[in-house]
Amino acid sequence: MTLQQLEQKANEIRQSIITMLCEAKSGHSAGPLGMVEIFTALYFSILRHDSKNPLWSERDRLILSHGHICPGLYATL
């Protein structure tokens, strides 16, 4: 993806985060919104993964231990 495409994808993810949090009427916004660029870069440029083949043995794995930023990961996925 080009830088412009990554920026557009990040904006779409931000919108999804806000929508999710509003629908849930709960959650933290600062953490997930602050991680959008990182998740966008990882999932659309850096990590080796195939969403159509989630059991691919050669895939990269992301371990996320900060629960309050999960909406950012969910929106990215």
Side-chain angles (χ1 to χ4, degrees), residues 3-72:
L3 181 57
Q4 184 177 13
Q5 290 171 319
L6 289 171
E7 289 172 348
Q8 181 175 348
K9 181 59 76 175
N11 283 332
E12 293 168 6
I13 292 169
R14 283 186 196 91
Q15 291 173 10
S16 293
I17 291 168
I18 296 300
T19 299
M20 279 192 288
L21 294 176
C22 288
E23 287 290 321
K25 296 180 176 66
S26 177
H28 299 271
S29 60
L33 291 172
M35 288 293 294
V36 168
E37 285 82 5
I38 293 170
F39 286 139
T40 302
L42 287 173
Y43 278 94
F44 297 99
S45 185
I46 298 170
L47 292 178
R48 294 177 312 135
H49 71 97
D50 180 357
S51 61
K52 295 179 182 168
N53 185 10
L55 300 179
W56 176 39
S57 63
E58 299 298 316
R59 71 191 180 280
D60 290 333
R61 292 159 174 88
L62 175 70
I63 298 171
L64 182 65
S65 64
H66 185 341
H68 288 172
I69 61 174
C70 285

